[in-house]
Amino acid sequence: MTLSVAVDDREPEAVGRAVEAHPDVTAVEVRRLPAADIAAIDPDETGDAGSVLGAVGIERKTVADYANSAIGTSGTDLREQVLKMGEVYDRGYVLLEGDLADVGADRPGLDAASVHGTMASFAARHDTPVLPCSDRERLVDVAIRLLRKHREDPSPRPLAGGSVTGYATPRTKRLFGCIEGVGPRTADALYEAFPSVEALLAATPAELREVEGVGEKRAEAIVETLRGQRD
């Protein structure tokens, strides 16, 4: 499935170029979005610019920006951005560009545990998962996969493994189903073993392999998708 994608005009030009280079993207428009940084465009919309689809919005943050906006007192208030996404889109995600291990490099006293706490808070209180991605290329790839998979959900054709599950399913379980290579049954098993995003983030590859349907390669894919790195 291919997509037409809108990128907010306040994003660095390199983000738009990375989106345009993704193999699943057919066209990119740089424009001012009502919320979020990346969203899908309705290709059937007539006029000068297609309408932004309300299915899902992607907010991009560097790790430093996230620490400042979610924990610190400087920068844009991430909570306000998340609430705005909730008004515009059916669901939103925050994707982090960078290594969480560097989170305290320029802010003494701030550690990864504090960041994990805010990630859990956004997932539990605002129904907005925060997913770490190690670099811009992986962040864009995860963003496009999320946009694509949410577009696939209402399709009349059978869904491929890894597509999101039904809207009545708990959001955390739907998120697990968005991981590449994770089908509905494996998403169910992961949700039973790790009923929250933070629990899955904390799981080791060995613990993941104990889940039915998760072998070595799938465990590595889960770790890479959620943490942006291989353990």
Side-chain angles (χ1 to χ4, degrees):
M1 180 180 184
T2 55
L3 295 168
S4 296
V5 178
V7 177
D8 190 82
D9 59 11
R10 290 162 289 192
E11 285 291 279
E13 291 184 7
V15 174
R17 291 196 297 268
V19 172
E20 188 174 19
H22 195 281
D24 290 345
V25 174
T26 56
V28 176
E29 291 186 14
V30 177
R31 64 163 77 168
R32 184 61 53 92
L33 294 177
D37 296 318
I38 302 172
I41 303 172
D42 187 348
D44 297 325
E45 185 77 7
T46 58
D48 294 334
S51 63
V52 174
L53 293 173
V56 56
I58 307 291
E59 180 72 25
R60 183 194 70 90
K61 290 288 185 187
T62 65
V63 169
D65 286 342
Y66 179 79
N68 288 330
S69 59
I71 303 173
T73 57
S74 63
T76 305
D77 187 338
L78 182 57
R79 180 177 176 275
E80 292 181 2
Q81 291 178 307
V82 166
L83 291 174
K84 184 63 176 178
M85 277 201 296
E87 296 173 0
V88 176
Y89 304 100
D90 296 335
R91 50 189 64 79
Y93 297 87
V94 178
L95 303 187
L96 303 186
E97 180 182 321
D99 191 341
L100 285 181
D102 298 332
V103 72
D106 58 351
R107 293 187 60 184
L110 178 64
D111 57 20
S114 300
V115 176
H116 288 160
T118 63
M119 293 165 66
S121 178
F122 279 112
R125 298 179 182 177
H126 301 292
D127 211 7
T128 302
V130 180
L131 304 180
C133 304
S134 61
D135 53 40
R136 181 166 296 165
E137 181 180 359
R138 289 179 178 175
L139 183 148
V140 167
D141 185 53
V142 171
I144 299 306
R145 289 175 186 274
L146 286 168
L147 294 177
R148 189 191 70 200
K149 290 179 184 297
H150 280 289
R151 289 290 304 277
E152 287 174 354
D153 191 55
S155 173
R157 64 181 175 81
L159 296 180
S163 299
V164 293
T165 51
Y167 290 158
T169 305
R171 180 68 56 81
T172 300
K173 189 186 294 186
R174 291 205 302 269
L175 172 62
F176 292 172
C178 288
I179 299 172
E180 186 70 12
V182 173
R185 288 187 179 181
T186 305
D188 288 344
L190 285 170
Y191 184 70
E192 288 297 322
F194 310 103
S196 65
V197 174
E198 60 270 24
L200 189 61
L201 280 167
T204 65
E207 291 171 333
L208 291 171
R209 290 195 296 270
E210 294 178 1
V211 176
E212 183 180 357
V214 178
E216 183 175 354
K217 290 184 178 180
R218 188 165 291 173
E220 291 178 356
I222 292 169
V223 169
E224 182 175 5
T225 299
L226 292 181
R227 304 176 193 169
Q229 61 186 30
R230 290 184 185 273
D231 285 357

